[in-house]
Amino acid sequence: MKAVKLKVLSNEQVSRRYWHMVVDAPGLAKQVKAGQFFNIRCTEDYYPFLRRPFSIYRINQENETLEFLYLVKGLGTKRMTEIQAGQEADVFGPLGTSFSLKEEWGKILLLARGVGIATLAALAQEASEKGIQCVAILSARSQNDLLATETLQGFGAEVYKVTDEEGTSQVGNVEALIDTILSRHKVDAAFTCGSKRLSKLLQDVTAKHQIPSQIALEEHMGCAMGVCFACVCDLKDGENTTQTVRVCKEGPVFPLERVVLT
Ligand SMILES: Cc1cc2nc3c(=O)[nH]c(=O)nc-3n(C[C@H](O)[C@H](O)[C@H](O)COP(=O)(O)OP(=O)(O)OC[C@H]3O[C@@H](n4cnc5c(N)ncnc54)[C@H](O)[C@@H]3O)c2cc1C
């Protein structure tokens, strides 16, 4: 894990709100695992000063490239869109824990909302490489934000889409969809990212069905190195006790049943 400057192969707008960046990462692509993230310097200026964290979206081990899918949210991501192909991106990582997939699993359920879809796409890629099938529920504001659908389908995932604009993304609707999926498929594990409400739902459903589950948390980060404690969250470590952990260092991936979702 170190800060390196990687050549940007492309950095393009792929929908109204999302951009896609591909960097040349010789020697690095093989070290990265789904769920991990990089802390990226968005501009050569010092404003904004702090790097911004982004999950790995796709890992291409053959070409040794890494891909990021990012939502333009504030100043940092706005400045990131100005990085041109041929320039260098200053990236620090890979950071944090990764998802774990058991070889004996046959099918997994992915539940993602918004930018969480980027994080779970890398997991769908890893699952497909291990011969594990994916069923994915993707939730977003609009169809225009669901551009990773084809990426997931490319990895063989069966994808269900729900959106705010179509009025299909309410928790009750997603719950019914999960029930249908669980009645049709033997799901060995479940994974989520991007929404506290949907994570709570998955926490309840997987507890009821005794399905192991993991979450990638996206908290605001300062240093992303475990020093500043800006990104802490609580994990249950007993019946009535909790333990405070850093999302950047002990996470971002945690067993879903242990995370205290507030
Ligand atoms: C481990 C991790 C992985 C991530 N992966 C991705 C990814 O793959 N793609 C992607 O688009 N985004 C991802 N994010 C979120 C991304 O880091 C933020 O959107 C980005 O830092 C915003 O920077 P900004 O300067 O554009 O916006 P800012 O000006 O910093 O913030 C704009 C608004 O967004 C809010 N905000 C900023 N960061 C977060 C956050 N982490 N959670 C909730 N609200 C926030 C701020 O409060 C503010 O209201 C990830 C975050 C984490 C912690």
Side-chain angles (χ1 to χ4, degrees):
M1 178 251 291
K2 56 181 179 176
V4 283
K5 292 199 173 182
L6 301 177
K7 187 172 173 194
V8 175
L9 300 177
S10 64
N11 186 28
E12 288 165 0
Q13 187 165 10
V14 286
S15 73
R16 220 167 31 238
R17 301 194 306 143
Y18 281 84
W19 283 63
H20 177 227
M21 182 187 275
V22 184
V23 296
D24 195 22
L28 190 59
K30 287 190 171 60
Q31 300 170 31
V32 184
K33 292 198 162 147
Q36 289 191 298
F37 66 100
F38 285 83
N39 212 16
I40 299 182
R41 198 167 154 195
C42 300
T43 166
E44 290 199 345
D45 302 338
Y46 284 95
Y47 187 68
F49 179 69
L50 292 175
R51 291 166 181 265
R52 301 291 193 254
F54 298 94
S55 300
I56 197 68
Y57 169 54
R58 285 184 72 158
I59 306 160
N60 190 328
Q61 300 205 347
E62 215 168 284
N63 298 345
E64 299 202 85
T65 59
L66 296 173
E67 301 181 28
F68 301 93
L69 182 68
Y70 63 98
L71 170 72
V72 179
K73 207 157 187 190
L75 185 62
T77 43
K78 173 90 189 54
R79 299 302 307 267
M80 230 167 111
T81 66
E82 293 160 11
I83 302 175
Q84 305 284 323
Q87 290 183 331
E88 286 179 323
D90 186 337
V91 311
F92 182 56
L95 299 167
T97 52
S98 60
F99 293 110
S100 58
L101 282 175
K102 292 193 177 163
E103 300 283 346
E104 66 265 27
W105 287 342
K107 190 167 281 181
I108 57 173
L109 172 67
L110 313 182
L111 176 60
R113 166 91 186 167
V115 293
I117 296 171
T119 311
L120 294 191
L123 179 66
Q125 178 180 8
E126 193 180 320
S128 116
E129 285 160 7
K130 290 184 168 160
I132 299 170
Q133 289 184 313
C134 289
V135 184
I137 302 174
L138 306 183
S139 172
R141 270 198 214 172
S142 68
Q143 285 287 341
N144 194 261
D145 284 348
L146 286 170
L147 55 137
T149 306
E150 283 168 22
T151 305
L152 269 92
Q153 286 168 333
F155 296 132
E158 182 178 321
V159 178
Y160 296 86
K161 299 184 272 185
V162 295
T163 63
D164 302 352
E165 73 180 356
E166 290 160 322
T168 51
S169 60
Q170 305 94 326
V171 172
N173 201 50
V174 176
E175 186 172 9
L177 198 48
I178 296 176
D179 284 345
T180 308
I181 290 168
L182 293 182
S183 68
R184 288 189 193 151
H185 301 273
K186 184 190 169 300
V187 169
D188 297 302
F191 299 82
T192 191
C193 185
S195 157
K196 292 258 164 83
R197 282 184 318 142
L198 294 183
S199 301
K200 272 188 189 165
L201 168 66
L202 196 69
Q203 210 172 39
D204 293 344
V205 174
T206 52
K208 193 167 113 196
H209 292 269
Q210 296 189 319
I211 297 170
S213 52
Q214 295 166 36
I215 182 172
L217 283 175
E218 287 184 352
E219 289 296 336
H220 290 236
M221 284 184 184
C223 70
M225 291 187 292
V227 179
C228 74
F229 284 74
C231 62
V232 293
C233 75
D234 284 341
L235 291 189
K236 295 173 204 152
D237 66 355
E239 195 58 21
N240 294 311
T241 51
T242 57
Q243 169 198 1
T244 299
V245 292
R246 298 159 295 184
V247 171
C248 67
K249 199 73 182 170
E250 284 79 39
V253 179
F254 296 101
L256 178 58
E257 68 273 13
R258 289 194 59 203
V259 175
V260 179
L261 295 163
T262 48

